[in-house]
Amino acid sequence: MKKISLILAFFIAFLLVFCSFFAEFLLPANANEIDLMLKFDPPSNLHLLGCDHLGRDEFARLILASGVSLKATFFTLVLIVGIGIFVGGVAGFAGGRIDQFFMRICDVFFSFPTIVLALFFVGILGTGLTNIIIAIALTHWAWYARIVRSIVLGLKNNEYVLISQTSGASFWQNFRKNMFYPIFSQCLVLATLDIGHIILHISSLSFLGLGVKAPTPEWGVMISDAKEYIFTQPEFIIYPGLMIFLCVASFHIIGDFLREKFNVADLKV
């Protein structure tokens, strides 16, 4: 059963990633074309999932929304991992007051729920997809910084690391040769597990009108658009909600698999 669920998770994740990069070539219709004559048109050969309240093809919008959500998640994770590796690496190697300074900053970020911090940063930066990517990255980097720091502290006094330092290797050469793989494996697992968490953040902020703006299709935006018709046309909330569920579940299963494969016992140090 576990193997079947893993295969399904990889298959769903592959389809979502494939759709995110080739959505424009897969679209059966213009996702933003409004035709009020097709309002709530039922599923047909031309419109596989029917049309929404503005007569837009629901299937086309779901495909295009997968690209928006996953690309935004990818860029967010790149920022998070980059900041986390830099801060954690510097703190672990430098030690002393520098380490104390960065770790106290991490403690401040740990003191607040990430969604509250994200709303705070969006309030400062303003609305829009770019700003919520930055806001979410600023609320998640501390976990990665702590993990990277713990790895560096555990490895920097090993003999092969000390020999590399005494032989004249620079900080970055030492980091790349002796510490990159354990840091990469941990960050890869945590990033995979975080994909679903970040997609929920993006969808939640977009649902509130703070992220992706209409008419750009995004799962949170689609749920927000359909909430007024929840009792008459509930399927238009179910479709994007199901996409979010499948995306979060599949990447979480893949993350658990990678955690076992890389023998990562506890990620949040």
Side-chain angles (χ1 to χ4, degrees), residues 108-152:
V108 172
F109 279 89
F110 292 147
S111 301
F112 300 93
T114 53
I115 188 64
V116 174
L117 280 176
L119 289 170
F120 170 74
F121 285 119
V122 169
I124 295 174
L125 299 171
T127 60
L129 182 58
T130 301
N131 287 338
I132 68 169
I133 288 174
I134 296 172
I136 294 171
L138 291 174
T139 63
H140 284 73
W141 65 269
W143 289 118
Y144 293 79
R146 273 285 177 89
I147 289 168
V148 173
R149 171 185 174 270
S150 67
I151 296 172
V152 171

Side-chain angles (χ1 to χ4, degrees), residues 29-144:
N30 188 334
N32 294 322
E33 184 178 355
I34 296 174
D35 187 350
L36 294 178
M37 297 295 293
L38 297 176
K39 179 178 179 180
F40 295 132
D41 197 47
S44 64
N45 291 333
L46 293 176
H47 307 288
L48 296 179
L49 296 178
C51 298
D52 66 6
H53 63 292
L54 294 177
R56 298 172 298 191
D57 187 279
E58 185 73 4
F59 182 67
R61 289 179 65 77
L62 285 174
I63 293 177
L64 198 58
S66 67
V68 174
S69 296
L70 287 176
K71 286 176 183 177
T73 300
F74 172 76
F75 287 119
T76 304
L77 283 172
V78 169
L79 277 175
I80 292 171
V81 174
I83 296 171
I85 289 177
F86 175 77
V87 173
V90 171
F93 259 108
R97 292 184 177 179
I98 295 176
D99 182 26
Q100 294 269 339
F101 172 74
F102 281 125
M103 291 306 101
R104 296 299 75 76
I105 294 177
C106 288
D107 290 339
V108 172
F109 279 89
F110 292 147
S111 301
F112 300 93
T114 53
I115 188 64
V116 174
L117 280 176
L119 289 170
F120 170 74
F121 285 119
V122 169
I124 295 174
L125 299 171
T127 60
L129 182 58
T130 301
N131 287 338
I132 68 169
I133 288 174
I134 296 172
I136 294 171
L138 291 174
T139 63
H140 284 73
W141 65 269
W143 289 118
Y144 293 79

